[in-house]
Amino acid sequence: MKEDFTFDSRLGIYIPDLRADWNQYSKANQEAILYHWERIRGSIPDRIAELEQEINHKQAQLSDENDFPRSCQLNTEISELASIINDLWLWYRADQRVSGKVHQ
């Protein structure tokens, strides 16, 4: 069942990576996959909160930063963290029934 999920280092969570059509899995395997996915989905708000703390920290640094290149770097990092949060929300809101059609 672990082979049905792949760790996404950018998002910091495991995401579905089904190798077969959903209907080809036995009911027991479907239930195990759904159970595992629900546990992962349940952790997504905590992951988002961690990233929001990082954004807040970087914004505080940015407010005190006088070096333009460093300010640009902080803005880029903040934008990337916000993009990750957006993607995490998409996964969180994804259909609860894991299917091979679910994409990042």
Side-chain angles (χ1 to χ4, degrees), residues 3-18:
E3 63 274 359
D4 296 314
F5 293 86
T6 301
F7 186 76
D8 186 305
S9 59
R10 179 176 170 271
L11 300 179
I13 63 168
Y14 283 87
I15 59 172
D17 186 18
L18 302 180

Side-chain angles (χ1 to χ4, degrees), residues 20-58:
D21 184 65
W22 181 250
N23 294 326
Q24 292 178 330
Y25 289 92
S26 70
K27 291 293 182 193
N29 281 349
Q30 287 178 358
E31 289 177 12
I33 291 167
L34 287 173
Y35 176 77
H36 191 66
W37 175 237
E38 286 305 310
R39 293 187 66 194
I40 293 168
R41 279 185 73 238
S43 72
I44 290 175
D46 292 335
R47 176 71 179 130
I48 290 170
E50 291 171 9
L51 296 171
E52 288 173 339
Q53 287 179 351
E54 285 185 53
I55 287 174
N56 291 338
H57 178 72
K58 290 183 185 298

